[in-house]
Each structure stands twice: as C-alpha cells, then as structure tokens.
C-alpha cells in the first residue's frame, strides 16, 4: 500500500503563491503516476495536474501557466507550485497516486485546504 500525506495549504491573498507537498511511503514511488485534484464545496472533485513516471505533465486549462507539478523520487515527494492564485482556486486539494501498470493500485491523501481571499 501507499500512504500519502499532504502539506502546505493555507490562506493566501489573490496573486500570491503556495507550494503544496505530498510525501509518499509504503511502495516503490517511481512506479506511480501522481496527480493533484481539488474539490470546492458543492462541486465535483476535479483534476488539477498530473505527472507520469517518466515526468510528462498535464494541466487543467484553468491552471495552465500558473501551476507547476513536479516530483522528487529520491524524496518520495510530489509538489504543486501555485502562482498567481485566484479566489476560484479555493478548494481542498488532494494528492493521488496510481500505479503505472496496475491501475487498481490507486491511493488518496487526506487533503489540504487552500483558501484565496483578500
């Protein structure tokens, strides 16, 4: 099994920046594709960004150019750098790990709250 622990959320003013971290343990980290998702009150959970085992990235249109996902396999950590934050980015952010070959091996973190407000 894989255990995921997120950190880095908080309150920030519009235009500010935050960096979320997700530390993983329990399996071979490099074998997993990683992603960040978010869920605002009353809305469905949505994809924010993904990064494959090979380092390929994908972003939701709403965050493209503002957010950057990266991974450090040696530290078993995935990051989400968030710049130029907007009130619409306010949500609980969740880390996800999915095995690159065995998709049934899918895990979620507990979530970290990001609030963008003046």
């Amino acid at each position: 099994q894989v255990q995921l622990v997120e950190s880095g959320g908080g309150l920030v003013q519009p235009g500010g920046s935050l960096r979320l971290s997700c530390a993983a343990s329990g399996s071979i980290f490099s074998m997993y594709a990683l992603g960040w998702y978010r869920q605002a009150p009353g809305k469905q959970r949505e994809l924010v960004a993904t990064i494959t085992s090979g380092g390929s990235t994908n972003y939701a249109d709403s965050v493209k150019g503002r957010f950057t996902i990266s991974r450090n396999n040696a530290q078993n950590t995935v990051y989400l750098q968030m710049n130029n934050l907007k009130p619409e980015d306010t949500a609980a952010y969740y880390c996800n790990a999915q095995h690159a070959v065995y998709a049934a091996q899918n895990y979620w973190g507990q979530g970290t709250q990001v609030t963008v407000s003046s």
Side-chain angles (χ1 to χ4, degrees):
Q1 296 186 22
V2 171
Q3 293 177 275
L4 304 173
V5 180
E6 298 124 323
S7 62
L11 175 65
V12 64
Q13 294 197 47
S17 298
L18 285 173
R19 183 169 64 184
L20 305 183
S21 299
C22 176
S25 63
S27 191
I28 303 175
F29 189 73
S30 62
M31 294 294 182
Y32 287 80
L34 305 169
W36 287 96
Y37 295 73
R38 67 187 182 188
Q39 187 169 21
K43 293 187 175 182
Q44 298 282 344
R45 187 171 297 186
E46 65 176 349
L47 174 69
V48 176
T50 60
I51 184 166
T52 68
S53 299
S56 298
T57 58
N58 187 52
Y59 299 91
D61 288 341
S62 59
V63 307
K64 193 171 295 184
R66 299 188 298 121
F67 292 9
T68 302
I69 188 171
S70 61
R71 64 192 294 166
N72 187 326
N73 289 340
Q75 298 295 322
N76 284 4
T77 304
V78 59
Y79 303 95
L80 184 68
Q81 178 67 46
M82 305 184 294
N83 297 327
N84 192 25
L85 283 160
K86 303 176 180 180
E88 306 91 88
D89 297 318
T90 296
Y93 284 71
Y94 298 87
C95 180
N96 172 263
Q98 181 171 284
H99 199 279
V101 177
Y102 305 105
Q105 297 182 22
N106 187 280
Y107 306 93
W108 292 92
Q110 82 289 347
T112 185
Q113 179 67 36
V114 172
T115 302
V116 184
S117 176
S118 59

